[in-house]
Amino acid sequence: MKFSGILCGVAAVCSTVSAQYTASRYYEKTSGITYSSITLPNGVSYRISLPAASNISEAILQIVVPKAFGWCGLAWGGHMTNNPLSVHWATKAKSGQKAIVSSRMAFGYNAVPNPYIGATYTYLKGTTSNNTHWQVTSYCVGCTRWSTSDGDVDLTTQSETQFAYACSSVAPSTPTSNTSTFNVHEQNGIWTHDLSIARNVSFASFVSTNPYKGSKRDVEEREWFA
Ligand code: HEM
Ligand SMILES: *[C@@H]1O[C@H](CO)[C@@H](O)[C@H](O)[C@H]1NC(C)=O
Ligand SMILES: *[C@@H]1O[C@H](CO)[C@@H](O)[C@H](O)[C@H]1NC(C)=O
Ligand SMILES: *[C@@H]1O[C@H](CO)[C@@H](O)[C@H](O)[C@H]1NC(C)=O
Ligand SMILES: *[C@@H]1O[C@H](CO)[C@@H](O)[C@H](O)[C@H]1NC(C)=O
């Protein structure tokens, strides 16, 4: 695996992230959402909120990414292939939506992961960018349960699971499109994510009270009160 010299130079961001990095409970004041959150050594935060019980594979996913990265993805099954990939990037648009998520699944290592229709995402408040970071907050149906040639996976009742991430400093070729192509990652790694602290009886209200409006005003208001 090749790594970017710049990104590798600053710190130990090149080594595989191991289970020593533990997720902790994170309360986001602006949204009222409680997440199980981890910030990796590369500065990227992955946050998951789950219902206390549900049969429809729901999750809230928030990713907060330093601007040096062109894209960053989460692999819900802890490796690249045969599991839902939530791939995120900044749109670089002057107005409107500042960052997006793309639903993908990889069936090999030699191609851009395919669009994956088994997971659908609805943007929530907290999908924005500023001078230092971009971030996406989304409600996913289909990220916690899937079936592939590797078998059936269901995270619904698991207390922890292995996640994997991948990031690149190179932005996708058409950043406003969720079907854009993009280059291979310069970094990837795994960690064990605590799912028990992600579960909350107020999950449904986290979703309903944080609609993404995407208007300029909505984004500015959020940044003002952040
Ligand atoms: C153009 C897109 C991509 C290409 C060409 C690509 C290619 C590769 C290659 C060649 C490897 C090394 C396999 C090996 O060690 O033998 C790898 C590993 C890996 N990739 Fe990707 N990748 C892409 C996108 C992604 C995305 C979007 C994610 C996650 C969101 C991801 C996650 C990983 C992970 C976690 C590994 C470590 C090995 C594993 O867990 O399977 N990759 N990738
Ligand atoms: C559930 O979420 C609420 C609001 O974010 C928070 O105050 C509470 O501590 C959370 N409960 C658990 C068990 O994390
Ligand atoms: C799914 O759960 C809801 C309540 O959360 C329930 O009303 C519904 O019957 C369940 N559906 C199935 C197929 O189990
Ligand atoms: C792109 O967004 C559209 C509209 O929300 C959605 O229907 C489609 O599944 C998304 N595609 C990917 C690859 O995320
Ligand atoms: C920029 O966004 C990041 C991520 O949400 C946040 O931590 C940071 O405080 C923001 N910076 C400013 C100046 O608002």
Side-chain angles (χ1 to χ4, degrees):
M1 180 89 339
K2 280 183 80 183
F3 295 105
S4 145
I6 293 166
L7 292 169
C8 282
V10 286
V13 291
C14 298
S15 55
T16 297
V17 176
S18 73
Q20 84 196 67
Y21 302 104
T22 41
S24 54
R25 195 178 264 111
Y26 173 80
Y27 173 71
E28 187 184 47
K29 203 171 52 175
T30 50
S31 65
I33 300 174
T34 293
Y35 290 99
S36 173
S37 171
I38 191 167
T39 301
L40 301 178
N42 65 4
V44 179
S45 297
Y46 289 92
R47 296 173 179 151
I48 312 287
S49 181
L50 299 171
S54 167
N55 53 18
I56 62 159
S57 188
E58 303 167 278
I60 299 171
L61 169 62
Q62 180 175 74
I63 179 171
V64 181
V65 187
K67 275 209 157 153
F69 291 109
W71 66 263
C72 276
L74 173 71
W76 291 81
H79 48 262
M80 180 168 156
T81 55
N82 293 328
N83 67 113
L85 305 178
S86 307
V87 190
H88 305 79
W89 56 78
T91 60
K92 301 173 185 249
K94 296 231 159 55
S95 61
Q97 193 165 341
K98 296 297 175 61
I100 58 176
V101 58
S102 176
S103 180
R104 304 288 176 121
M105 191 175 282
F107 301 104
Y109 292 99
N110 56 0
V112 185
N114 296 340
Y116 174 56
I117 59 166
T120 55
Y121 297 81
T122 305
Y123 291 103
L124 298 180
K125 209 180 287 177
T127 299
T128 184
S129 74
N130 64 20
N131 289 335
T132 61
H133 294 75
W134 50 268
Q135 67 176 62
V136 177
T137 309
S138 65
Y139 166 67
C140 179
V141 176
C143 287
T144 59
R145 212 162 61 189
W146 62 91
S147 295
T148 69
S149 56
D150 285 353
D152 302 335
V153 178
D154 189 350
L155 303 181
T156 307
T157 58
Q158 296 194 19
S159 59
E160 60 175 39
T161 195
Q162 182 176 297
F163 283 153
Y165 81 95
C167 291
S168 171
S169 65
V170 182
S173 52
T174 314
T176 52
S177 166
N178 67 2
T179 55
S180 179
T181 58
F182 48 87
N183 288 332
V184 63
H185 32 87
E186 294 150 341
Q187 307 179 1
N188 62 268
I190 56 170
W191 73 96
T192 301
H193 203 93
D194 189 328
L195 299 181
S196 59
I197 59 173
R199 298 203 169 91
N200 195 291
V201 290
S202 301
F203 178 86
S205 82
F206 294 166
V207 176
S208 63
T209 60
N210 287 287
Y212 174 72
K213 298 199 186 71
S215 68
K216 198 160 180 290
R217 187 165 165 273
D218 182 57
V219 170
E220 279 171 359
E221 271 180 6
R222 186 180 176 280
E223 285 173 353
W224 179 256
F225 289 114

